[in-house]
Amino acid sequence: MSETPTLATPPGDSKSPLVSPTSSRSVTETVNGSHKFVIQGYSLAKGMGIGKHIASDNFTVGGYQWAIYFYPDGKNPEDNSTYVSVFIALASEGTDVRALFELTLVDQSGKGKHKVHSHFDRSLESGPYTLKYRGSMWGYKRFFRRAMLESSDYLKDDCLKINCTVGVVVSAIDCSRLHSIQVPDSDIGSHFGTLLENMEGSDVTFDVAGERFHAHKLVLAARSVVFRSQFFDTSHDNEEQIVVTDMEPKVFKAMLHFVYRDALVEDELVASSSSSCPSVDDSLTAKLLAAADRYDLGRLKRMCESHLCKEISVNSVSKTLALADCYHAAELKAVCLRFAAENLAAVMRSDGFEFLKENCPALQSELLKTVAGCEEDCSSGGGKSRSVWAQLSDGGDTNGRRVRQRT
């Protein structure tokens, strides 16, 4: 008996099964990031030579390192120092990195008349700029006529401010954006914050210099092992009022705000840092650091370290270093040691260094070890042209945030 052959159904036959279509989308966009570069002591930078620059710290955008180069005497010998030059440089390894750029010279009069050179928000005939290798730059040899700059509102208190935005072009296949559901931000902090403000269900009161704060033992215990031990591992379990003798009410209030909301009151920190405090250790941030160390609030401690790190200068680094050492702020301590080592001569002339010698002699040996480490980096890496120890002979700006020699 012969078998009947089976024939495949042609693609165009109406009886062929339908397969659900698939889709994808190629998305080309920019990953954007910004950096603010403050040039303090402009008049002292003049005369360093045509083609020589002051560089910002490296910053990362789109997986690449970038830096801003400012040429006080210009980059082009033919201009004979008539103009200042500004460039953005690729500071890490990369091949054919495509990017958009924006350079802004900030108007410090408050009128908002900034000088802006931008690739963004305009049609580009040739597309984004391509940087071929490490050291490739985009910018302007004739960024601003120097004589006009020195009589303008862009220069104030011998200081220039330059903002830079980099947009690195990336392409990717994106399917998820075709169908997406927006998830709202977490609001647990606001809920717990309301609990603190309303004092509903509070079962413990803190007396801080006569000011009373109502709180909840379970919340405090969940956030701090010190509070947990105080409330549940000792005879204080049934204690409804606790006297705090070594903390100011505003500091305790700010700490409670963090415990319940997992955030700092930034306005208060900014006001504290900008007020006429005699020293960094009298600031609210420094006192919060001490509170965070006392109650083992690791995240609060790190937030305070981050805020204090932004305020480090030649005059403040010694006392900030002493604070970091006292309250076991390891990250902040490492930053202070490195900063002091890189600006050794200027730091040694500051009043804060005298405080360090008198009150924290052990930190001097740690500073010397860090200086030695910097020396090692200089000799092996070749990144800096001068010895750290050489700063002892010619010093630096005692008010600047960072003192580096550039060639």
mmCIF file of all heavy atoms in Angstrom, residues 189 192-193 196 215-216 218-224 227 252-264 295 297 300:
data_model
loop_
_atom_site.group_PDB
_atom_site.id
_atom_site.type_symbol
_atom_site.label_atom_id
_atom_site.label_comp_id
_atom_site.label_asym_id
_atom_site.label_seq_id
_atom_site.Cartn_x
_atom_site.Cartn_y
_atom_site.Cartn_z
ATOM 1 N N GLY A 189 9.537 57.803 53.624
ATOM 2 C CA GLY A 189 10.124 58.849 54.465
ATOM 3 C C GLY A 189 9.110 59.904 54.868
ATOM 4 O O GLY A 189 9.095 60.355 56.013
ATOM 5 N N PHE A 192 6.778 58.385 57.613
ATOM 6 C CA PHE A 192 7.394 58.360 58.936
ATOM 7 C C PHE A 192 7.626 59.772 59.458
ATOM 8 O O PHE A 192 7.552 60.020 60.665
ATOM 9 C CB PHE A 192 8.719 57.577 58.884
ATOM 10 C CG PHE A 192 8.539 56.094 59.070
ATOM 11 C CD1 PHE A 192 8.303 55.271 57.976
ATOM 12 C CD2 PHE A 192 8.577 55.521 60.321
ATOM 13 C CE1 PHE A 192 8.117 53.914 58.131
ATOM 14 C CE2 PHE A 192 8.412 54.163 60.485
ATOM 15 C CZ PHE A 192 8.176 53.348 59.389
ATOM 16 N N GLY A 193 7.925 60.704 58.542
ATOM 17 C CA GLY A 193 8.092 62.083 58.956
ATOM 18 C C GLY A 193 6.822 62.662 59.554
ATOM 19 O O GLY A 193 6.857 63.399 60.543
ATOM 20 N N LEU A 196 6.428 61.550 63.064
ATOM 21 C CA LEU A 196 7.241 62.331 64.000
ATOM 22 C C LEU A 196 6.596 63.687 64.283
ATOM 23 O O LEU A 196 6.538 64.133 65.432
ATOM 24 C CB LEU A 196 8.644 62.535 63.421
ATOM 25 C CG LEU A 196 9.600 63.428 64.224
ATOM 26 C CD1 LEU A 196 9.911 62.809 65.575
ATOM 27 C CD2 LEU A 196 10.887 63.678 63.434
ATOM 28 N N ALA A 215 9.222 60.878 70.491
ATOM 29 C CA ALA A 215 9.636 59.924 69.457
ATOM 30 C C ALA A 215 9.054 58.547 69.757
ATOM 31 O O ALA A 215 8.281 58.360 70.709
ATOM 32 C CB ALA A 215 11.165 59.870 69.377
ATOM 33 N N HIS A 216 9.451 57.567 68.923
ATOM 34 C CA HIS A 216 8.920 56.206 69.007
ATOM 35 C C HIS A 216 10.083 55.232 69.143
ATOM 36 O O HIS A 216 10.977 55.198 68.287
ATOM 37 C CB HIS A 216 8.103 55.877 67.752
ATOM 38 C CG HIS A 216 7.031 56.885 67.449
ATOM 39 N ND1 HIS A 216 7.317 58.108 66.883
ATOM 40 C CD2 HIS A 216 5.689 56.840 67.644
ATOM 41 C CE1 HIS A 216 6.189 58.792 66.727
ATOM 42 N NE2 HIS A 216 5.195 58.044 67.179
ATOM 43 N N LEU A 218 10.360 52.030 68.761
ATOM 44 C CA LEU A 218 10.534 51.031 67.704
ATOM 45 C C LEU A 218 11.231 51.639 66.482
ATOM 46 O O LEU A 218 12.091 50.991 65.862
ATOM 47 C CB LEU A 218 9.181 50.440 67.294
ATOM 48 C CG LEU A 218 8.619 49.349 68.209
ATOM 49 C CD1 LEU A 218 7.240 48.930 67.741
ATOM 50 C CD2 LEU A 218 9.556 48.139 68.234
ATOM 51 N N VAL A 219 10.865 52.856 66.130
ATOM 52 C CA VAL A 219 11.498 53.505 64.976
ATOM 53 C C VAL A 219 12.977 53.754 65.263
ATOM 54 O O VAL A 219 13.846 53.446 64.439
ATOM 55 C CB VAL A 219 10.783 54.831 64.639
ATOM 56 C CG1 VAL A 219 11.512 55.555 63.522
ATOM 57 C CG2 VAL A 219 9.334 54.576 64.246
ATOM 58 N N LEU A 220 13.284 54.293 66.428
ATOM 59 C CA LEU A 220 14.672 54.581 66.785
ATOM 60 C C LEU A 220 15.496 53.294 66.858
ATOM 61 O O LEU A 220 16.642 53.251 66.396
ATOM 62 C CB LEU A 220 14.727 55.319 68.118
ATOM 63 C CG LEU A 220 14.046 56.697 68.165
ATOM 64 C CD1 LEU A 220 14.108 57.264 69.578
ATOM 65 C CD2 LEU A 220 14.694 57.652 67.186
ATOM 66 N N ALA A 221 14.909 52.259 67.423
ATOM 67 C CA ALA A 221 15.625 50.984 67.558
ATOM 68 C C ALA A 221 15.894 50.348 66.208
ATOM 69 O O ALA A 221 16.924 49.700 66.004
ATOM 70 C CB ALA A 221 14.819 50.034 68.446
ATOM 71 N N ALA A 222 14.948 50.518 65.267
ATOM 72 C CA ALA A 222 15.128 49.952 63.931
ATOM 73 C C ALA A 222 16.252 50.653 63.172
ATOM 74 O O ALA A 222 16.902 50.052 62.316
ATOM 75 C CB ALA A 222 13.822 50.053 63.140
ATOM 76 N N ARG A 223 16.498 51.906 63.508
ATOM 77 C CA ARG A 223 17.484 52.685 62.762
ATOM 78 C C ARG A 223 18.868 52.692 63.420
ATOM 79 O O ARG A 223 19.864 52.939 62.742
ATOM 80 C CB ARG A 223 16.993 54.140 62.652
ATOM 81 C CG ARG A 223 15.686 54.300 61.907
ATOM 82 C CD ARG A 223 15.880 54.174 60.421
ATOM 83 N NE ARG A 223 16.306 55.440 59.858
ATOM 84 C CZ ARG A 223 16.993 55.579 58.730
ATOM 85 N NH1 ARG A 223 17.343 54.506 58.072
ATOM 86 N NH2 ARG A 223 17.334 56.764 58.277
ATOM 87 N N SER A 224 18.929 52.438 64.730
ATOM 88 C CA SER A 224 20.197 52.564 65.441
ATOM 89 C C SER A 224 20.356 51.441 66.451
ATOM 90 O O SER A 224 19.487 51.244 67.313
ATOM 91 C CB SER A 224 20.262 53.930 66.151
ATOM 92 O OG SER A 224 21.252 53.941 67.155
ATOM 93 N N PHE A 227 20.315 52.856 70.045
ATOM 94 C CA PHE A 227 18.982 53.039 70.613
ATOM 95 C C PHE A 227 18.356 51.682 70.949
ATOM 96 O O PHE A 227 17.673 51.538 71.962
ATOM 97 C CB PHE A 227 18.084 53.801 69.631
ATOM 98 C CG PHE A 227 18.268 55.290 69.655
ATOM 99 C CD1 PHE A 227 18.558 55.984 68.491
ATOM 100 C CD2 PHE A 227 18.146 56.001 70.842
ATOM 101 C CE1 PHE A 227 18.721 57.360 68.509
ATOM 102 C CE2 PHE A 227 18.309 57.382 70.872
ATOM 103 C CZ PHE A 227 18.602 58.059 69.698
ATOM 104 N N PHE A 252 20.021 67.617 67.716
ATOM 105 C CA PHE A 252 19.181 66.453 67.989
ATOM 106 C C PHE A 252 17.960 66.452 67.059
ATOM 107 O O PHE A 252 17.551 65.401 66.556
ATOM 108 C CB PHE A 252 18.725 66.462 69.450
ATOM 109 C CG PHE A 252 18.137 65.157 69.908
ATOM 110 C CD1 PHE A 252 18.942 64.119 70.329
ATOM 111 C CD2 PHE A 252 16.763 64.956 69.887
ATOM 112 C CE1 PHE A 252 18.403 62.902 70.733
ATOM 113 C CE2 PHE A 252 16.211 63.752 70.291
ATOM 114 C CZ PHE A 252 17.041 62.724 70.715
ATOM 115 N N LYS A 253 17.399 67.639 66.827
ATOM 116 C CA LYS A 253 16.243 67.746 65.922
ATOM 117 C C LYS A 253 16.618 67.313 64.505
ATOM 118 O O LYS A 253 15.866 66.584 63.840
ATOM 119 C CB LYS A 253 15.725 69.181 65.915
ATOM 120 C CG LYS A 253 14.502 69.392 65.031
ATOM 121 C CD LYS A 253 14.039 70.850 65.086
ATOM 122 C CE LYS A 253 12.814 71.064 64.203
ATOM 123 N NZ LYS A 253 12.364 72.487 64.251
ATOM 124 N N ALA A 254 17.775 67.748 64.034
ATOM 125 C CA ALA A 254 18.232 67.363 62.693
ATOM 126 C C ALA A 254 18.495 65.871 62.609
ATOM 127 O O ALA A 254 18.227 65.228 61.586
ATOM 128 C CB ALA A 254 19.487 68.150 62.323
ATOM 129 N N MET A 255 19.024 65.286 63.710
ATOM 130 C CA MET A 255 19.264 63.844 63.724
ATOM 131 C C MET A 255 17.940 63.077 63.681
ATOM 132 O O MET A 255 17.804 62.086 62.950
ATOM 133 C CB MET A 255 20.066 63.455 64.975
ATOM 134 C CG MET A 255 20.447 61.984 65.000
ATOM 135 S SD MET A 255 21.227 61.479 66.554
ATOM 136 C CE MET A 255 19.810 61.465 67.656
ATOM 137 N N LEU A 256 16.936 63.511 64.450
ATOM 138 C CA LEU A 256 15.624 62.858 64.411
ATOM 139 C C LEU A 256 15.006 62.968 63.019
ATOM 140 O O LEU A 256 14.379 62.018 62.523
ATOM 141 C CB LEU A 256 14.685 63.488 65.440
ATOM 142 C CG LEU A 256 14.814 63.027 66.892
ATOM 143 C CD1 LEU A 256 13.727 63.688 67.733
ATOM 144 C CD2 LEU A 256 14.710 61.514 67.011
ATOM 145 N N HIS A 257 15.180 64.115 62.376
ATOM 146 C CA HIS A 257 14.668 64.305 61.015
ATOM 147 C C HIS A 257 15.253 63.238 60.090
ATOM 148 O O HIS A 257 14.532 62.639 59.285
ATOM 149 C CB HIS A 257 15.035 65.702 60.516
ATOM 150 C CG HIS A 257 14.551 65.992 59.130
ATOM 151 N ND1 HIS A 257 13.355 66.614 58.871
ATOM 152 C CD2 HIS A 257 15.102 65.735 57.908
ATOM 153 C CE1 HIS A 257 13.185 66.727 57.570
ATOM 154 N NE2 HIS A 257 14.239 66.203 56.966
ATOM 155 N N PHE A 258 16.553 62.992 60.217
ATOM 156 C CA PHE A 258 17.178 61.957 59.395
ATOM 157 C C PHE A 258 16.654 60.569 59.746
ATOM 158 O O PHE A 258 16.366 59.756 58.864
ATOM 159 C CB PHE A 258 18.702 61.983 59.559
ATOM 160 C CG PHE A 258 19.365 60.769 58.985
ATOM 161 C CD1 PHE A 258 19.602 60.664 57.623
ATOM 162 C CD2 PHE A 258 19.705 59.698 59.805
ATOM 163 C CE1 PHE A 258 20.174 59.522 57.090
ATOM 164 C CE2 PHE A 258 20.279 58.562 59.281
ATOM 165 C CZ PHE A 258 20.518 58.471 57.914
ATOM 166 N N VAL A 259 16.552 60.275 61.050
ATOM 167 C CA VAL A 259 16.113 58.943 61.487
ATOM 168 C C VAL A 259 14.752 58.586 60.895
ATOM 169 O O VAL A 259 14.524 57.472 60.427
ATOM 170 C CB VAL A 259 16.069 58.867 63.027
ATOM 171 C CG1 VAL A 259 15.321 57.625 63.495
ATOM 172 C CG2 VAL A 259 17.486 58.861 63.595
ATOM 173 N N TYR A 260 13.856 59.547 60.854
ATOM 174 C CA TYR A 260 12.501 59.288 60.366
ATOM 175 C C TYR A 260 12.380 59.438 58.847
ATOM 176 O O TYR A 260 11.631 58.696 58.208
ATOM 177 C CB TYR A 260 11.501 60.229 61.053
ATOM 178 C CG TYR A 260 11.096 59.774 62.433
ATOM 179 C CD1 TYR A 260 11.936 59.996 63.530
ATOM 180 C CD2 TYR A 260 9.889 59.118 62.658
ATOM 181 C CE1 TYR A 260 11.579 59.585 64.805
ATOM 182 C CE2 TYR A 260 9.520 58.705 63.933
ATOM 183 C CZ TYR A 260 10.363 58.935 65.007
ATOM 184 O OH TYR A 260 10.001 58.515 66.264
ATOM 185 N N ARG A 261 13.092 60.395 58.276
ATOM 186 C CA ARG A 261 12.916 60.685 56.843
ATOM 187 C C ARG A 261 14.052 60.178 55.960
ATOM 188 O O ARG A 261 13.960 60.226 54.736
ATOM 189 C CB ARG A 261 12.761 62.194 56.634
ATOM 190 C CG ARG A 261 11.456 62.758 57.195
ATOM 191 C CD ARG A 261 11.298 64.225 56.819
ATOM 192 N NE ARG A 261 10.024 64.782 57.271
ATOM 193 C CZ ARG A 261 8.892 64.748 56.574
ATOM 194 N NH1 ARG A 261 8.889 64.164 55.392
ATOM 195 N NH2 ARG A 261 7.786 65.283 57.051
ATOM 196 N N ASP A 262 15.130 59.720 56.572
ATOM 197 C CA ASP A 262 16.304 59.246 55.830
ATOM 198 C C ASP A 262 16.850 60.344 54.910
ATOM 199 O O ASP A 262 17.295 60.091 53.793
ATOM 200 C CB ASP A 262 15.969 57.999 55.003
ATOM 201 C CG ASP A 262 17.232 57.223 54.611
ATOM 202 O OD1 ASP A 262 18.124 57.110 55.458
ATOM 203 O OD2 ASP A 262 17.312 56.750 53.466
ATOM 204 N N ALA A 263 16.805 61.573 55.367
ATOM 205 C CA ALA A 263 17.294 62.706 54.582
ATOM 206 C C ALA A 263 17.738 63.814 55.526
ATOM 207 O O ALA A 263 17.352 63.836 56.696
ATOM 208 C CB ALA A 263 16.201 63.222 53.642
ATOM 209 N N LEU A 264 18.556 64.709 55.006
ATOM 210 C CA LEU A 264 19.011 65.856 55.779
ATOM 211 C C LEU A 264 18.226 67.097 55.388
ATOM 212 O O LEU A 264 17.699 67.182 54.280
ATOM 213 C CB LEU A 264 20.503 66.117 55.524
ATOM 214 C CG LEU A 264 21.479 65.061 56.036
ATOM 215 C CD1 LEU A 264 22.891 65.427 55.615
ATOM 216 C CD2 LEU A 264 21.409 64.945 57.554
ATOM 217 N N TYR A 295 25.515 57.533 67.829
ATOM 218 C CA TYR A 295 24.365 56.627 67.735
ATOM 219 C C TYR A 295 24.509 55.603 66.604
ATOM 220 O O TYR A 295 23.544 54.918 66.264
ATOM 221 C CB TYR A 295 23.083 57.439 67.551
ATOM 222 C CG TYR A 295 22.682 58.185 68.805
ATOM 223 C CD1 TYR A 295 22.890 59.554 68.929
ATOM 224 C CD2 TYR A 295 22.111 57.511 69.883
ATOM 225 C CE1 TYR A 295 22.537 60.242 70.090
ATOM 226 C CE2 TYR A 295 21.757 58.188 71.045
ATOM 227 C CZ TYR A 295 21.967 59.549 71.146
ATOM 228 O OH TYR A 295 21.612 60.217 72.294
ATOM 229 N N LEU A 297 24.860 55.776 63.313
ATOM 230 C CA LEU A 297 24.016 56.001 62.138
ATOM 231 C C LEU A 297 24.941 56.142 60.928
ATOM 232 O O LEU A 297 25.377 57.233 60.565
ATOM 233 C CB LEU A 297 23.166 57.265 62.330
ATOM 234 C CG LEU A 297 22.143 57.195 63.478
ATOM 235 C CD1 LEU A 297 21.626 58.590 63.819
ATOM 236 C CD2 LEU A 297 20.988 56.272 63.117
ATOM 237 N N LEU A 300 23.970 58.480 57.889
ATOM 238 C CA LEU A 300 24.044 59.892 58.276
ATOM 239 C C LEU A 300 25.502 60.332 58.345
ATOM 240 O O LEU A 300 25.848 61.434 57.902
ATOM 241 C CB LEU A 300 23.357 60.106 59.628
ATOM 242 C CG LEU A 300 23.441 61.526 60.211
ATOM 243 C CD1 LEU A 300 22.839 62.548 59.260
ATOM 244 C CD2 LEU A 300 22.756 61.598 61.574
#
